[in-house]
């Protein structure tokens, strides 16, 4: 990249720290300071969640729309709860029951939402890049990516990092093992960016058919690559050795039909996180799962509900982190330069 | 910016002492009394007052910390302040609660603090203690205990610096220009 372009990008860089970031599309451009700010703000939000009266007037008069083109429990409900606890008005739109069913385009749907005066939209879409497309075409409304295709799920990554930090302190140098369908996982992709920014040692573990080709062929192992420290291990026992955090991913049942796996049972036998396997990790290793779980496939029920499991805490922290993000994003300074973040 | 010292560490110490005595006097002791410092500099001031009250009355007064970030009335108008956790050590219902802050200016911080406080319960009475009252109120709010009344111009800035936060105890007046 010619240096003049680099300089230009630096000038256009938006940040939560100075209130210039209006959209949350992914965490690939997040700095450590921004992750820090989200974590510290989330601490204050957790305190609000622990009160008898858990409501503060912060976003009174702001309108937040959740626009979900794909099924979701956790993300949608926690955004709705987060918005309501901050006193924003939250409107839920799903593809069924709205004009989307009549064939309205994504662009027209979001322009309509903007025209109604909404301040922020949280979108989940089956196509990677849909939130970027929306952000490019909106003037006054902010966009939070609530999961797009296989591409990104930034709020999940931020809540995972927050959960780890609450238990481990700084996570730089910690060994974090993500096990499962990396290839199709937006959770894994966003976590890779957030965790490497925090300086963690990330190990991806899966059958070769479920690991992205760039990683499998070692193309990322060059110094300038931002993910050059990420390690690949196809043997789960080797991967888990000494791990500080273990994060199995949901194995989608369709993967078997598409021929990427022989059978679910075989996957479970080779890669499922069981008591015995978790014991290979460091003592008191943390167990996270982005949900929803297929118990008995990628995770056995006894560890999913065992003492090392933080799965329910992740959901609670998810509300706090989303409150923090709404607080930091709604009403951010509008400026021309924010165009840089949507390129 | 030109800096004029207003309060030395000794002056500050005397002011805190006097306010502690006034609080005890006005409330006829410390029964049912609680202090709540407003983040940032109100918090160490509240702890100092509690320490002084302990040496006068020989009784501990609970101290809380209030962060008003989530209750501000200028969200979306100015950059977002960092929010911190609020900690209230005891139930505030029925207590006589003294809010503590460093500088009283427009009164908007205190307005927000009252809102924050009321989310924790219904105190019997709320009083206000500040180290410096610099005037220019925009809301009908006044302090019950004042360390120093300091008439200022709106072009000036009053800065309270505390050992716990800034490494030094002093109050200075900042003016534009050389």
């Amino acid at each position: 990249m010619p240096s003049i372009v680099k300089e230009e990008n630096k000038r256009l860089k938006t940040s939560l720290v100075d209130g210039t970031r209006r959209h949350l599309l992914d965490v690939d451009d997040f700095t450590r300071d921004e992750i820090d700010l989200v974590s510290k703000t989330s601490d204050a939000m957790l305190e609000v969640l622990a009160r008898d009266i858990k409501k503060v007037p912060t976003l009174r008069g702001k309108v937040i729309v959740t626009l979900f083109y794909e099924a979701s429990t956790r993300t949608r409900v926690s955004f709705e709860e987060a918005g309501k606890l901050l006193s924003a008005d939250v409107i839920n739109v799903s593809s069924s029951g709205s004009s989307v069913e009549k064939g309205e385009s994504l662009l027209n749907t979001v322009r309509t939402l903007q025209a109604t005066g909404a301040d922020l939209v949280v979108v989940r879409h089956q196509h990677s890049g849909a939130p970027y497309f929306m952000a490019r075409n909106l003037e006054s409304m902010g966009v939070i990516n609530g999961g797009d295709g296989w591409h990104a799920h930034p709020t999940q990554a931020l809540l995972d990092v927050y959960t780890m930090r609450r238990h481990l302190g700084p996570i730089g140098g910690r060994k974090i093992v993500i096990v499962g369908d990396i290839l199709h996982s937006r959770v894994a992709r966003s976590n890779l960016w957030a965790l490497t920014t925090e300086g963690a040692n990330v190990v991806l573990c899966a059958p070769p058919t479920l690991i992205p080709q760039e990683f499998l062929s070692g193309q990322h192992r060059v110094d300038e690559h931002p993910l050059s420290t990420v390690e690949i291990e196809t043997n789960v026992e080797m991967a888990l050795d000494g791990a500080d955090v273990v994060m199995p991913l949901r194995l989608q049942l369709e993967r078997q039909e598409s021929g990427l796996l022989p059978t679910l049972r075989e996957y479970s036998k080779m890669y499922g996180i069981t008591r015995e396997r978790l014991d290979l990790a460091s003592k008191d290793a943390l167990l996270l799962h982005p949900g929803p779980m297929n118990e008995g496939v990628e995770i056995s029920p006894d560890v999913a509900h065992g003492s090392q499991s933080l799965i329910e805490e992740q959901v609670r922290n998810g509300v706090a982190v989303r409150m923090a993000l709404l607080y930091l994003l709604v009403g951010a300074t509008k400026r021309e330069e924010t165009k840089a973040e949507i390129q | 910016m030109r800096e004029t010292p207003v309060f030395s560490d000794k002056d500050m110490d005397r002011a805190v002492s006097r306010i502690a005595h006034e609080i005890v006097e006005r409330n006829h002791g410390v029964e049912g009394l609680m202090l709540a410092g407003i983040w940032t500099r109100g918090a160490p001031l509240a702890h100092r007052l509690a320490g002084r009250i302990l040496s006068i009355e020989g009784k501990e007064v609970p101290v809380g910390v209030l962060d008003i970030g989530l209750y501000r009335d200028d969200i979306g108008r100015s950059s977002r302040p960092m929010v911190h956790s609020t900690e209230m050590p005891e139930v505030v219902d029925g207590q006589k609660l003294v809010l503590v802050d460093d500088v009283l200016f427009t009164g908007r911080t205190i307005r927000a603090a009252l809102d924050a406080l009321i989310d924790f319960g219904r105190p019997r009475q709320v009083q206000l203690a500040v180290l410096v009252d610099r005037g220019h109120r925009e809301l009908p709010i006044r302090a019950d205990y004042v360390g120093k009344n300091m008439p200022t111009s709106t072009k000036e800035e009053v800065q309270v610096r505390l050992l716990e936060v800034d490494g030094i105890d002093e109050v200075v007046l900042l003016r534009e220009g050389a």
Side-chain angles (χ1 to χ4, degrees):
Chain A
M1 198 189 286
S3 66
I4 187 153
V5 179
K6 259 192 195 162
E7 278 307 305
E8 182 75 353
N9 274 356
K10 212 188 272 171
R11 192 178 68 77
L12 296 180
K13 176 91 177 67
T14 62
S15 168
L16 287 176
V17 177
D18 61 8
T20 51
R21 189 187 281 280
R22 284 178 54 214
H23 307 292
L24 174 59
L25 302 172
D26 197 0
V27 281
D28 57 352
D29 63 343
F30 260 53
T31 60
R32 240 183 226 210
D33 285 346
E34 286 182 280
I35 296 178
D36 240 34
L37 176 64
V38 171
S39 294
K40 288 189 177 133
T41 310
S42 302
D43 284 340
M45 299 303 177
L46 265 190
E47 181 268 312
V48 173
L49 282 175
R51 294 182 189 177
D52 288 342
I53 302 172
K54 23 180 192 290
K55 196 171 185 98
V56 288
T58 319
L59 297 184
R60 218 168 27 167
K62 302 289 183 191
V63 177
I64 295 164
V65 178
T66 67
L67 176 63
F68 277 60
Y69 287 84
E70 256 186 23
S72 161
T73 311
R74 261 153 277 265
T75 305
R76 199 196 60 71
V77 170
S78 60
F79 263 115
E80 181 174 353
E81 188 177 343
K84 285 181 169 167
L85 299 186
L86 291 171
S87 297
D89 291 296
V90 184
I91 298 166
N92 297 310
V93 180
S94 62
S95 49
S96 65
S98 68
S99 291
V100 174
E101 276 191 332
K102 300 179 188 166
E104 185 172 53
S105 71
L106 179 62
L107 185 55
N108 285 335
T109 302
V110 297
R111 285 218 173 115
T112 303
L113 296 175
Q114 180 173 257
T116 64
D119 295 283
L120 188 99
V121 60
V122 181
V123 64
R124 168 165 296 184
H125 202 281
Q126 61 275 23
H127 292 308
S128 301
Y132 290 75
F133 170 76
M134 288 166 57
R136 274 197 293 274
N137 288 286
L138 292 171
E139 295 80 41
S140 62
M141 186 165 68
V143 178
I144 292 182
N145 183 356
D148 63 327
W150 301 350
H151 169 252
H153 195 349
T155 62
Q156 180 71 43
L158 289 169
L159 82 87
D160 289 340
V161 168
Y162 179 60
T163 305
M164 293 177 208
R165 283 172 57 135
R166 272 179 63 78
H167 287 265
L168 300 173
I171 56 171
R174 296 292 193 156
K175 181 176 180 183
I176 292 157
V177 184
I178 305 178
V179 187
D181 187 358
I182 312 291
L183 182 62
H184 303 94
S185 173
R186 56 190 172 214
V187 175
R189 279 190 180 72
S190 284
N191 257 304
L192 272 179
W193 290 111
L195 292 169
T196 48
T197 299
E198 289 281 273
N201 299 329
V202 185
V203 180
L204 302 178
C205 176
T209 49
L210 297 178
I211 293 177
Q213 196 51 45
E214 312 84 286
F215 284 119
L216 209 54
S217 61
Q219 283 172 40
H220 67 294
R221 285 236 174 253
V222 283
D223 285 344
E224 315 85 77
H225 199 290
L227 300 176
S228 61
T229 57
V230 172
E231 295 194 37
I232 308 300
E233 176 57 67
T234 52
N235 177 303
V236 74
E237 277 84 12
M238 303 269 281
L240 289 175
D241 180 45
D244 296 294
V245 179
V246 181
M247 190 193 293
L249 301 171
R250 181 169 64 101
L251 190 79
Q252 286 168 318
L253 308 172
E254 332 49 297
R255 305 296 168 236
Q256 182 184 337
E257 289 148 29
S258 56
L260 292 167
L261 291 172
T263 65
L264 283 184
R265 235 181 83 193
E266 184 169 328
Y267 175 84
S268 178
K269 219 173 134 198
M270 300 276 291
Y271 290 94
I273 301 301
T274 57
R275 182 73 263 161
E276 296 71 43
R277 288 203 172 120
L278 192 57
D279 287 341
L280 298 172
S282 71
K283 193 175 163 291
D284 303 324
L286 309 174
L287 180 75
L288 277 73
H289 190 299
M293 289 185 277
N294 286 319
E295 287 182 32
V297 181
E298 74 269 5
I299 186 167
S300 68
D302 57 330
V303 297
H305 305 284
S307 60
Q308 286 163 273
S309 168
L310 299 179
I311 297 170
E312 280 176 30
E313 190 189 315
Q314 279 176 281
V315 178
R316 185 176 176 76
N317 290 344
V319 178
V321 168
R322 287 174 179 121
M323 286 169 79
L325 291 167
L326 293 177
Y327 170 72
L328 294 168
L329 286 165
V330 173
T333 325
K334 273 171 221 159
R335 62 176 206 196
E336 269 309 289
E337 288 89 298
T338 54
K339 289 211 162 99
E341 74 190 82
I342 53 187
Q343 300 302 316
Chain B
M1 286 291 221
R2 203 177 49 178
E3 213 176 284
T4 321
V6 183
F7 245 35
S8 68
D9 52 348
K10 290 213 174 66
D11 295 328
M12 194 184 287
D13 208 44
R14 289 183 199 111
V16 170
S17 262
R18 178 172 51 77
I19 294 173
H21 278 284
E22 284 178 11
I23 291 174
V24 174
E25 183 187 2
R26 166 106 46 118
N27 295 288
H28 310 289
V30 295
E31 195 53 40
L33 197 69
M34 199 168 153
L35 304 178
I38 298 173
W39 187 275
T40 315
R41 288 178 184 74
L45 279 175
H47 282 287
R48 287 189 196 185
L49 283 170
R52 213 56 58 88
I53 291 171
L54 177 67
S55 66
I56 302 166
E57 287 288 292
K59 284 182 190 149
E60 297 253 8
V61 178
V63 179
V65 178
L66 273 184
D67 183 88
I68 59 134
L70 298 173
Y71 295 85
R72 290 166 66 109
D73 59 5
D74 58 355
I75 283 169
R77 288 194 193 91
S78 70
S79 72
R80 208 119 290 200
M82 176 100 185
V83 288
H84 302 269
S85 293
T86 287
E87 296 155 31
M88 294 308 272
E90 285 176 20
V91 179
V92 303
D93 287 277
Q95 303 276 339
K96 281 187 273 186
L97 201 138
V98 183
L99 279 176
V100 182
D101 204 1
D102 54 348
V103 181
L104 178 58
F105 182 28
T106 61
R108 288 181 191 271
T109 301
I110 304 304
R111 200 277 315 152
L114 288 169
D115 276 359
L117 195 59
I118 276 151
D119 277 358
F120 284 88
R122 186 174 186 278
R124 183 148 71 95
Q125 198 183 48
V126 181
Q127 303 167 3
L128 175 61
V130 296
L131 195 60
V132 177
D133 181 349
R134 61 165 295 191
H136 304 287
R137 216 75 77 240
E138 293 168 7
L139 295 171
I141 280 170
R142 56 150 182 80
D144 301 274
Y145 314 99
V146 180
K148 188 177 176 59
N149 277 300
M150 198 190 293
T152 56
S153 117
T154 46
K155 290 192 188 113
E156 294 166 327
E157 195 191 325
V158 176
Q159 248 181 38
V160 171
R161 295 177 186 148
L162 298 176
L163 212 53
E164 297 90 327
V165 184
D166 313 283
I168 184 170
D169 273 349
E170 63 177 0
V171 180
V172 296
L173 190 65
L174 298 170
R175 275 194 200 91
E176 292 273 340

